[in-house]
């Protein structure tokens, strides 16, 4: 157990706390400190996420109450990084950090941090104003959690630009804890050039405050599908909806650029480079917390223009006429799903009554609930008539009869008769009927015999097909048809035409690319050849031989341009060749070499 553990400063990183312990302990080797912290020497020092926290908690004073779960939630960035993940991912990440032999790289990969362009800072950051307050209050510096969040460039408390310390994570040892001090956190860092832009600073401070709030109070975990639904509902409520279930993407992008355009050059992760459209679709993957924060701020910046829910905000009215709360807004369980282009809502009340409906449509009852069965039993017991029972239960007589049969109740009225059961069909009798029919007319083909006894054939086909398939008469074999199209002759003829037309294309001035599409146009049947190449091996071989790549065509254009400049008496220069040949500014090495060689020939 650690002999000394200092007090945890407000919003301090666990990395910072262990770094201060390491500094006070006077260890000369980081691995000795690792053994003191975790009981073994090969644990990696995690700046933002620390693994094997159960081992660490066992070495901390019990009276401090620093359990592994509390260390995760109060001193690491995991609450922020998993704020918009599913409950399963949250539980897995927590277990990975608390358990023994945890792998931080696996956590980073599972949370999408390894592949995301929204990355954690590569150097520990600090606020110059917080630096002065720390020295005045605690006489020492420490690393704050909310200063290390992705996308946070200003201090959420003082709105001052954050500065990079001299602790670069790529240059520190993987077992080393480095504490903040006055040397690696200079007092007067250089201010960024955007610090005097008022609108930019305001937006960055809002992002910083929202990020710090997510770190301290992450939202309630829910499925990815639910996150997507909430985002779409909120956008539709702000006027970005199109139809029943679509988002007006051009209008959304324009509004986003209008609101956040001033910080994209400062915060490149905020650029709407594809994620803005994807986050409004069904969430098949998780998005970085910064994306959710930016989207929420965009939503909050626009006033509500329509109801977010197609059926209005809950609670909703109960439609159970037998309940005391009939017509009152007591339903809180509503599930939405799409059927075609309609949004269907399934509403379930605590009384057991459930119904589904679409906007501007009549509801469809899914369950009448326990009150219906209780009231039905009571009415039957008192001898109430069928129609009076139906009126009392607010249903029709057929519904009453159906539930009476379902519950097995004895009634004073005539119950619904049970459907007549058809007599079982004898398999052997059906087989005998088929054999007798064939024996009576052995010259009939199978199709003719089938049409004579269709009901026997249908039953055998559905219930005894294996027996039927081996019985006479045998199915008639289809007559072999002669090939109506001589593909070999067409292949040879078309290949000759392609060879001839390719030579004609090479003589065009200015040059025209010899491509498959160009050759198909010469045939006068655009798209015909592409669909039939598997039947035309000679044509396929000719196309592979005569068609030219973009690089080869550009080289041929350069040669033509050289000849044309010589004919006009103009100097053969690379820029003239490039412009006359219609080449882009940057070409492949072969084309650039052809350009330089043409210029050298003219110079010599």
């Amino acid at each position: 157990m650690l002999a000394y553990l200092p007090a945890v400063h407000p919003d301090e990183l666990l990395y910072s706390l262990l770094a201060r312990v390491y500094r006070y302990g006077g260890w000369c080797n980081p691995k000795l400190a690792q053994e003191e912290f975790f009981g073994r020497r090969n644990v990696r020092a995690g700046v933002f996420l620390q693994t094997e926290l159960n081992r660490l908690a066992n070495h901390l004073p019990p009276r401090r109450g620093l359990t592994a779960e509390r260390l995760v939630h109060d001193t690491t960035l995991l609450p922020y990084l998993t704020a918009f993940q599913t409950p399963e991912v949250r539980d897995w990440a927590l277990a990975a950090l608390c358990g023994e032999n945890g792998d931080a790289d696996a956590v980073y990969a599972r949370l999408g941090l390894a592949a995301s362009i929204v990355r954690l800072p590569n150097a520990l950051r600090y606020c110059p104003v917080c630096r002065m307050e720390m020295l005045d209050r605690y006489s020492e510096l420490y690393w704050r959690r909310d200063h290390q969040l992705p996308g946070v460039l200003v201090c959420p408390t003082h709105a001052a630009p954050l500065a990079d310390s001299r602790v670069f994570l790529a240059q520190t040892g993987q077992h080393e804890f480095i504490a903040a001090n006055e040397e690696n956190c200079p007092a007067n860092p250089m201010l960024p050039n955007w610090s005097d832009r008022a609108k930019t600073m305001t937006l960055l401070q809002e992002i910083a405050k929202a990020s710090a709030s997510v770190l301290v109070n992450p939202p309630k975990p829910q499925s990815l599908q639910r996150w997507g639904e909430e985002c779409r509902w909120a956008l539709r409520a702000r006027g970005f909806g199109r139809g029943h279930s679509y988002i007006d993407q051009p209008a959304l992008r324009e509004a986003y650029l209008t609101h956040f355009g001033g910080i994209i050059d400062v915060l490149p992760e905020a650029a709407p480079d594809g994620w803005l459209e994807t986050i409004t679709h069904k969430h098949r993957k998780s998005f970085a917390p910064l994306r959710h924060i930016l989207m929420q701020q965009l939503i909050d910046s626009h006033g509500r223009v329509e109801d977010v829910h197609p059926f209005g905000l809950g609670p909703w009215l109960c439609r159970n006429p037998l309940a005391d709360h009939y017509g009152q807004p007591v339903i809180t369980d509503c599930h939405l799903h799409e059927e075609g282009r309609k949004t269907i809502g399934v509403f379930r009340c605590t009384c057991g009554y459930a119904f589904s409906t679409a906007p501007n449509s009549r509801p469809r009852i899914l369950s009448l609930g326990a009150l219906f069965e209780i009231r039905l039993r009571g009415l039957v017991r008192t001898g109430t008539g069928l129609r009076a029972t139906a009126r009392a239960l607010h249903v029709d007589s057929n519904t009453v009869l159906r539930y009476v049969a379902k519950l097995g109740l004895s009634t004073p009225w005539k119950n619904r008769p049970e459907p007549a059961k058809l007599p079982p069909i004898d398999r052997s009798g059906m087989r005998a009927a088929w054999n007798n029919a064939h024996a009576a007319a052995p010259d009939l083909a199978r199709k003719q015999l089938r049409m004579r006894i269709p009901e026997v054939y249908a039953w055998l086909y559905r219930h005894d097909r294996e027996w039927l398939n081996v019985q006479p008469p045998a199915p008639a074999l289809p007559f072999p048809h002669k090939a109506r199209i001589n593909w070999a002759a067409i292949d040879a003829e078309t290949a000759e035409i392609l060879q001839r037309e390719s030579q004609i294309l090479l003589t065009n001035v200015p040059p025209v690319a010899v491509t498959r599409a160009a050759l198909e146009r010469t045939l006068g049947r655009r798209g015909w050849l592409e669909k039939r190449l598997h039947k035309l091996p000679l044509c396929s071989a000719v196309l592979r031989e005569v068609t030219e790549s973009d690089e080869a065509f550009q080289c041929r254009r350069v040669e033509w341009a050289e000849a044309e400049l010589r004919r006009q008496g103009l100097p053969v220069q690379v820029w003239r060749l490039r412009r006359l040949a219609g080449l882009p500014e940057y070409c492949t090495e072969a084309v650039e070499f052809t350009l330089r060689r043409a210029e050298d020939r003219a110079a010599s």
Side-chain angles (χ1 to χ4, degrees):
M1 185 177 298
L2 287 175
Y4 169 72
L5 181 67
V8 182
H9 294 314
D11 201 37
E12 183 178 13
L13 267 176
L14 178 61
Y15 177 88
S16 174
L17 175 64
L18 297 180
R20 291 194 294 124
V21 175
Y22 176 75
R23 181 175 62 188
Y24 298 146
W27 288 287
C28 59
N29 189 336
K31 289 197 172 184
L32 295 177
Q34 293 282 352
E35 186 173 5
E36 190 74 15
F37 295 156
F38 302 97
R40 58 195 192 99
R41 299 189 176 190
N42 56 349
V43 179
R44 294 168 58 184
V47 179
F48 310 114
L49 299 175
Q50 180 62 58
T51 58
E52 304 198 25
L53 291 179
N54 279 334
R55 291 178 177 270
L56 176 63
N58 292 334
H59 289 77
L60 300 180
R63 57 184 178 82
R64 299 288 293 273
L66 295 176
T67 62
E69 289 78 8
R70 182 179 174 186
L71 289 174
V72 168
H73 293 296
D74 295 346
T75 63
T76 71
L77 301 190
L78 189 68
Y80 172 87
L81 298 177
T82 59
F84 301 95
Q85 297 282 355
T86 62
E88 296 78 14
V89 174
R90 285 194 182 186
D91 295 341
W92 176 87
L94 178 63
L97 295 187
C98 294
E100 297 183 1
N101 301 321
D103 186 1
D105 292 337
V107 178
Y108 279 97
R110 181 74 179 272
L111 298 182
L113 300 173
S116 176
I117 64 173
V118 182
R119 297 187 176 276
L120 293 163
N122 53 15
L124 288 172
R125 299 185 297 209
Y126 69 99
C127 169
V129 182
C130 291
R131 179 185 184 278
M132 293 187 296
E133 293 183 355
M134 292 177 185
L135 291 176
D136 292 340
R137 183 175 302 178
Y138 307 110
S139 300
E140 64 177 349
L141 303 180
Y142 65 91
W143 306 116
R144 277 181 53 169
R145 286 195 304 166
D146 52 6
H147 291 169
Q148 322 305 327
L149 297 176
V152 175
L153 302 184
V154 300
C155 177
T157 305
H158 304 103
L162 296 178
D164 287 342
S165 69
R166 295 174 183 174
V167 180
F168 295 96
L169 305 182
Q171 301 175 5
T172 60
Q174 61 178 347
H175 303 290
E176 188 176 3
F177 292 94
I178 301 179
N181 54 46
E182 298 184 50
E183 182 179 353
N184 54 32
C185 298
N188 298 310
M190 183 178 297
L191 293 177
N193 53 9
W194 44 263
S195 59
D196 56 348
R197 291 155 50 179
K199 184 177 180 180
T200 299
M201 290 294 295
T202 301
L203 289 174
L204 291 177
Q205 186 182 15
E206 292 176 356
I207 295 174
K209 287 183 176 180
S211 300
S213 177
V214 170
L215 174 65
V216 178
N217 298 307
K220 182 180 179 181
Q222 54 189 2
S223 64
L224 296 180
Q225 179 182 4
R226 187 63 181 173
W227 286 120
E229 290 177 354
E230 289 186 354
C231 180
R232 290 192 297 274
W233 291 342
L235 289 173
R236 290 174 58 193
R238 270 72 180 178
F240 294 105
R242 183 168 61 87
H244 285 293
S245 57
Y246 295 95
I247 299 298
D248 190 350
Q249 297 295 341
L252 176 62
R253 183 180 180 86
E254 181 180 356
Y256 181 89
L257 292 175
T258 302
H259 187 73
F260 291 111
I263 65 169
I264 292 179
D265 60 330
V266 177
L267 187 63
E269 296 88 342
D273 52 355
W275 68 267
L276 183 63
E277 179 180 359
T278 309
I279 201 172
T280 61
H281 296 166
K282 292 183 179 179
H283 286 202
R284 295 179 176 86
K285 63 177 183 179
S286 60
F287 292 86
L290 178 62
R291 309 293 199 202
H292 287 273
I293 291 172
L294 293 173
M295 179 58 68
Q296 187 59 50
Q297 290 189 349
L298 176 65
I299 292 172
D300 294 341
S301 65
H302 289 71
R304 184 183 295 271
V305 296
E306 63 173 312
D307 200 354
V308 66
H309 201 288
F311 302 99
L313 294 176
W316 297 271
L317 303 180
C318 178
R319 297 176 177 269
N320 188 359
L322 305 180
D324 297 336
H325 53 260
Y326 171 67
Q328 299 180 14
V330 295
I331 297 180
T332 58
D333 183 2
C334 174
H335 175 70
L336 299 180
H337 65 275
E338 302 289 336
E339 289 185 7
R341 290 185 175 271
K342 289 185 177 181
T343 301
I344 306 298
V346 179
F347 300 86
R348 299 184 184 277
C349 185
T350 55
C351 64
Y353 192 87
F355 64 94
S356 65
T357 184
N360 303 321
S361 300
R362 296 180 60 184
R364 176 174 174 264
I365 299 175
L366 301 178
S367 175
L368 292 171
L371 289 176
F372 179 86
E373 296 183 4
I374 295 173
R375 188 73 60 85
L376 174 61
R377 292 178 186 274
L379 292 172
V380 170
R381 190 182 306 113
T382 58
T384 309
L386 174 60
R387 293 187 178 180
T389 301
R391 286 194 298 269
L393 298 176
H394 302 276
V395 294
D396 56 34
S397 300
N398 289 327
T399 302
V400 174
L401 291 175
R402 186 171 67 252
Y403 272 83
V404 164
K406 175 183 176 182
L407 300 175
L409 303 178
S410 58
T411 61
W413 63 81
K414 186 178 180 180
N415 293 337
R416 172 178 292 184
E418 296 185 1
K421 297 183 179 179
L422 297 176
I425 298 178
D426 185 13
R427 184 183 300 270
S428 60
M430 286 295 182
R431 291 182 176 182
W434 179 268
N435 290 332
N436 293 336
H438 174 61
D443 297 333
L444 293 181
R446 174 174 286 251
K447 185 174 182 179
Q448 295 171 329
L449 184 61
R450 165 188 172 182
M451 297 181 67
R452 179 169 293 188
I453 49 173
E455 65 283 352
V456 175
Y457 177 83
W459 192 94
L460 291 173
Y461 184 81
R462 294 172 183 171
H463 304 96
D464 203 2
R465 189 178 304 181
E466 293 183 0
W467 179 89
L468 178 62
N469 290 338
V470 298
Q471 299 305 309
L477 297 177
F479 293 100
H481 295 284
K482 295 182 180 180
R484 293 177 295 175
I485 300 178
N486 189 350
W487 287 108
I490 294 176
D491 187 20
E493 180 183 357
T494 309
E496 183 179 353
I497 296 174
L498 293 176
Q499 190 75 42
R500 183 174 63 251
E501 293 296 334
S502 66
Q503 298 300 321
I504 296 175
L505 286 176
L506 290 174
T507 61
N508 287 0
V509 177
V512 177
V514 182
T515 62
R516 181 178 298 178
L519 292 173
E520 282 189 343
R521 286 193 293 269
T522 62
L523 295 176
R525 290 181 288 183
R526 186 174 182 181
W528 179 88
L529 189 63
E530 179 69 26
K531 300 176 183 178
R532 296 165 178 82
L533 279 180
H534 63 285
K535 301 178 181 179
L536 308 172
L538 296 179
C539 292
S540 181
V542 170
L543 289 176
R544 287 194 300 269
E545 177 185 353
V546 301
T547 54
E548 57 184 349
S549 63
D550 292 343
E551 184 180 75
F553 173 63
Q554 290 176 352
C555 292
R556 192 158 61 87
R557 292 277 298 186
V558 171
E559 295 174 357
W560 166 80
E562 179 186 3
E564 185 67 17
L565 290 176
R566 290 179 183 274
R567 187 183 65 81
Q568 297 178 10
L570 297 175
V572 180
Q573 298 171 322
V574 171
W575 70 271
R576 292 180 183 273
L577 292 171
R578 192 185 301 275
R579 185 172 65 179
L580 186 58
L583 302 181
E585 183 178 359
Y586 300 101
C587 300
T588 61
E589 294 183 3
V591 179
E592 296 291 344
F593 176 75
T594 305
L595 288 169
R596 292 193 299 270
R597 187 177 62 180
E599 186 180 45
D600 294 343
R601 279 198 301 266
S604 60

